[in-house]
Amino acid sequence: MSGHSTYEPKYAAGRWLDKRLPIVRFGVDFMGFPSPRNLNYWYAFGGILTLCLLAQIITGVILAMHYTPDVNLAFDSVQRIRRDVPFGWLLQPMHAVGASMFFLAVYIHMFRGMFYGSYKNPRELLWIIGCLIYLVMMATGFLGYTLPWGQMSFWGATVITGFFGAIPVVGESLQQWLLGGYSIGNPTLQRFFSLHYLLPFIICALVGLHVWAVHHVGQNNPIGIEPKSKSDTLPFHPFYTMKDAFAIAVFLLIFALFVFYLPEALGHADNYQRANPMVTPPHIVPEWYFLPFYAILRAVPDKLMGIILMFGAIGVLFVLPWLDTAKVRSLRFRPITRWFFIIFLVMCFVLGWCGAKAPDDIAIPIGEHGMSFKWLSRIATLYYFAYFIVILPVMGWIEKTKPLPESITKAVLSGDA
Amino acid sequence: MSDTDKFDEQNNDENGEPTRRDFIYIATGAAAAVGAAAFAWPLVTQMSAAADTRAAGSIEIDLSKISEGQQLKVLWRGKPVFVRYRTQEEIDAADAVDIASLPDPQTDDDRFVPNFSGVIDKRILVMVGVCTHFGCIPVGEQGKIDAQGAFGGWYCPCHGSHYDTSGRIRQGPAPTNLPIPEYAYISDTVIKVG
């Protein structure tokens, strides 16, 4: 942690405790952490994500008290939670909608980091830990979606575990090992439940490292220059606790809108049908937060290549700190790259759209036949990778950046921050 | 430098050769590594298919229950087996294909086992009804012409793989033909799968 401790216990009891276990000192220093004074609301998502993680763990532990991981009982036990368990009608949708809200917040948090160059020296490891958290979140989300044992649960799990079967030589044995049988069945459901309960605690540990790292290197900020003097920073508490609290209140309004008025909007009707290994739903789609990756998977005609590209789309995030060669962090001062980033953002939405549609349907009716979603997703996939592998490295060399402000304080006072 | 290192240095042989202490370090480390691996083995292996799952074994299917143009779906090891009584047009369509043009070249005859009389009966096609792409169940039951794909056989709705009347992959992302399970005729009208 940076800086010296300023905590002085006021009472004898405080001094007694501080001498033996300086836990209050730790908390005070932790919350007084100097933060750049120009953080905007995009920086509130760290706090929002902490809230999401806690909400998911609390509702999840409660749901586990009523849920039964057995292929014959799982579907009914989830319905029982929603109908019979006191306040189950509230807690089950809170957990299901909460997963979507968690991903919504994490995507905004990641795009914010990309826009302001928050992954650049000395924050590479902070970014990589964040990518790891995202990866474990995806695993947790996938495992959790299997548990209600509806048609989409079953077939989504079949498709995703099928990825491992595509690995040359060891694929089939690896897949059987993961499933605990020839196909998805009771052993699979039981281990998925066990792991779904475990992974959030791994996320907690990673979040601990992530927060430790951000306290060590300090937060980045919208203009991307380091604080130089005391006037460039403010203590986290009360300034940003208040700002975060307001952002959290707005976020909770949106959360509540979904929980109370649109609890099914983000799910699939097929998941209210019991899992049936004999019938595949006509149109398998993952949860919305996996759609862009699903589109990349389907963009290539080759099975193994599709999987490699899909995992590559996540893997490329890990090396982003070294792909972006620019010295300037914030895209505010990079007039050309900023536009490439906006196109990148649009392409991510396009991929999400493609992932939700059947590959051979027509996306854009131009010319004689029009462009199918398959071809649209190919273009978007190409741009996705080109942004990281070509555009960012090249722009770092050739782009003429705008002049940076002298300090955060000067930028704030002149209204540029 | 820790006390152990100092102690170790004092005990080193003058030529810098390994000493009895070095040997004990390495032997202890090696024993611990083997022990850890031996302990990890059951922790990893427990996830494999259990004995009762593996014992799911084989099933018998009575072919006399299907008539021409129909398809039977039977659950075997958690996956459906398709038993299709093919029409003459379907058999002719499967025979007419240029084998060299197939992504996974296989003749129609290669996809059968001899029946109880020792001849190949190309009317009864037995396949595992699991798309070789990501494991969905292809559609293509009798009477559902639209759902049979571009080649009159089966179509996987998940990612658009088209199979022909022999269950061979013709178009789409699936890498191989629908697999033929291990099966044999145990009478004129009964097959044993598995």
Side-chain angles (χ1 to χ4, degrees):
Chain A
M1 309 282 157
S2 46
H4 294 286
S5 179
T6 53
Y7 171 66
E8 275 179 50
K10 288 193 185 69
Y11 305 102
R15 281 190 291 276
W16 186 91
L17 180 66
D18 194 50
K19 200 171 169 187
R20 286 157 184 83
L21 179 71
I23 188 169
V24 180
R25 176 183 300 278
F26 177 81
V28 168
D29 293 346
F30 185 82
M31 295 310 288
F33 162 58
S35 312
R37 61 189 281 181
N38 59 336
L39 300 186
N40 55 27
Y41 275 112
W42 298 115
Y43 281 79
F45 282 87
I48 288 172
L49 284 163
T50 312
L51 179 85
C52 286
L53 179 60
L54 288 178
Q56 286 306 88
I57 289 178
I58 292 169
T59 52
V61 167
I62 291 168
L63 291 179
M65 295 177 185
H66 305 282
Y67 172 77
T68 315
D70 179 288
V71 287
N72 295 314
L73 304 169
F75 186 86
D76 290 334
S77 78
V78 174
Q79 294 313 311
R80 182 179 161 270
I81 292 171
R82 295 171 64 107
R83 291 154 199 259
D84 298 342
V85 173
F87 284 97
W89 61 267
L90 175 67
L91 294 163
Q92 196 276 339
M94 265 179 81
H95 194 72
V97 170
S100 277
M101 291 295 136
F102 204 162
F103 275 98
L104 174 70
V106 91
Y107 282 130
I108 297 174
H109 193 65
M110 288 163 79
F111 283 129
R112 185 269 286 155
M114 287 172 77
F115 188 83
Y116 294 128
S118 301
Y119 46 83
K120 285 173 175 287
N121 179 9
R123 297 185 181 82
E124 301 94 329
L125 208 51
L126 174 63
W127 171 262
I128 288 172
I129 295 166
C131 291
L132 275 175
I133 294 172
Y134 173 56
L135 201 61
V136 183
M137 264 179 75
M138 297 210 324
T140 313
F142 157 68
L143 294 170
Y145 194 61
T146 310
L147 303 184
W149 210 242
Q151 272 290 66
M152 236 13 133
S153 299
F154 183 91
W155 290 101
T158 301
V159 170
I160 299 208
T161 54
F163 296 166
F164 296 93
I167 299 168
V169 190
V170 294
E172 205 174 322
S173 356
L174 180 67
Q175 194 184 351
Q176 279 196 12
W177 176 76
L178 283 169
L179 300 179
Y182 302 108
S183 53
I184 301 243
N186 204 50
T188 322
L189 179 59
Q190 287 184 323
R191 67 190 55 185
F192 277 17
F193 177 58
S194 168
L195 294 174
H196 181 69
Y197 206 111
L198 165 73
L199 291 186
F201 298 100
I202 306 248
I203 295 180
C204 279
L206 288 170
V207 167
L209 291 178
H210 195 63
V211 172
W212 185 7
V214 79
H215 275 248
H216 184 72
V217 295
Q219 286 152 291
N220 186 30
N221 62 79
I223 60 171
I225 59 173
E226 293 291 316
K228 294 182 185 97
S229 64
K230 207 167 176 333
S231 73
D232 285 347
T233 64
L234 294 167
F236 188 83
H237 179 74
F239 293 92
Y240 289 114
T241 42
M242 287 304 114
K243 192 160 182 156
D244 281 4
F246 179 71
I248 284 172
V250 173
F251 184 79
L252 286 179
L253 278 178
I254 300 166
F255 198 138
L257 175 76
F258 276 100
V259 169
F260 293 110
Y261 293 96
L262 303 160
E264 311 300 340
L266 301 167
H268 301 289
D270 293 82
N271 226 27
Y272 286 96
Q273 285 184 306
R274 224 176 272 270
N276 180 358
M278 295 294 262
V279 180
T280 309
H283 187 45
I284 299 186
V285 255
E287 291 283 83
W288 69 267
Y289 38 83
F290 293 141
L291 288 174
F293 299 104
Y294 194 58
I296 292 174
L297 171 79
R298 297 192 301 184
V300 267
D302 183 77
K303 177 175 169 181
L304 186 60
M305 198 58 208
I307 296 167
I308 291 170
L309 275 188
M310 189 190 67
F311 282 105
I314 303 161
V316 75
L317 297 172
F318 283 81
V319 286
L320 173 60
W322 294 276
L323 290 174
D324 183 358
T325 51
K327 295 273 181 294
V328 171
R329 287 194 191 118
S330 175
L331 290 188
R332 280 193 183 179
F333 304 101
R334 301 178 62 188
I336 307 170
T337 312
R338 178 164 42 176
W339 286 104
F340 282 118
F341 176 80
I342 289 167
I343 299 171
F344 172 76
L345 203 60
V346 170
M347 287 300 172
C348 289
F349 281 102
V350 167
L351 281 172
W353 185 38
C354 293
K357 300 288 181 178
D360 292 325
D361 284 357
I362 299 303
I364 306 165
I366 38 164
E368 207 177 317
H369 302 292
M371 182 189 273
S372 67
F373 281 102
K374 186 162 63 191
W375 277 100
L376 186 62
S377 61
R378 283 177 182 172
I379 293 170
T381 303
L382 189 71
Y383 186 86
Y384 182 98
F385 284 100
Y387 178 74
F388 289 109
I389 295 166
V390 182
I391 296 172
L392 282 181
V394 171
M395 289 315 288
W397 295 110
I398 63 169
E399 186 177 33
K400 193 178 175 325
T401 56
K402 291 190 203 165
L404 291 176
E406 236 172 273
S407 73
I408 294 175
T409 308
K410 281 209 168 149
V412 169
L413 295 181
S414 65
D416 293 335
Chain B
M1 188 177 277
S2 73
D3 289 346
T4 329
D5 288 338
K6 276 184 206 158
F7 187 74
D8 198 33
E9 215 165 71
Q10 285 161 9
N11 283 277
N12 256 345
D13 164 296
E14 279 165 17
N15 306 319
E17 289 292 308
T19 62
R20 285 162 61 92
R21 187 165 293 275
D22 291 332
F23 174 78
I24 290 167
Y25 280 156
I26 293 164
T28 310
V34 171
F39 183 61
W41 183 248
L43 300 185
V44 172
T45 313
Q46 53 82 20
M47 276 177 68
S48 314
D52 59 339
T53 310
R54 280 183 280 123
S58 50
I59 51 162
E60 289 176 14
I61 302 172
D62 184 0
L63 303 177
S64 64
K65 286 179 182 163
I66 20 175
S67 46
E68 186 167 322
Q70 284 187 331
Q71 174 175 301
L72 206 62
K73 257 191 200 180
V74 188
L75 199 65
W76 173 66
R77 293 184 180 174
K79 299 167 188 168
V81 168
F82 289 172
V83 184
R84 173 72 153 248
Y85 194 136
R86 300 194 298 178
T87 60
Q88 193 56 45
E89 296 84 65
E90 287 173 333
I91 297 171
D92 293 344
D95 277 331
V97 176
D98 174 18
I99 306 302
S101 71
L102 295 173
D104 181 12
Q106 212 176 11
T107 64
D108 192 44
D109 287 24
D110 286 347
R111 298 178 59 74
F112 292 88
V113 299
N115 70 7
F116 202 61
S117 327
V119 294
I120 282 176
D121 180 359
K122 302 223 303 176
R123 287 175 303 173
I124 305 291
L125 177 63
V126 180
M127 308 184 292
V128 177
V130 173
C131 180
T132 54
H133 186 228
F134 285 131
C136 299
I137 313 295
V139 291
E141 290 88 342
Q142 182 254 346
K144 292 187 185 172
I145 304 298
D146 290 345
Q148 292 176 334
F151 300 90
W154 288 265
Y155 172 70
C156 182
C158 295
H159 304 104
S161 292
H162 298 261
Y163 297 91
D164 66 12
T165 55
S166 185
R168 292 172 298 197
I169 179 68
R170 297 291 290 276
Q171 183 190 317
T176 56
N177 302 334
L178 288 177
I180 305 299
E182 191 189 308
Y183 75 99
Y185 282 83
I186 54 171
S187 80
D188 278 338
T189 56
V190 178
I191 57 165
K192 188 180 174 193
V193 182

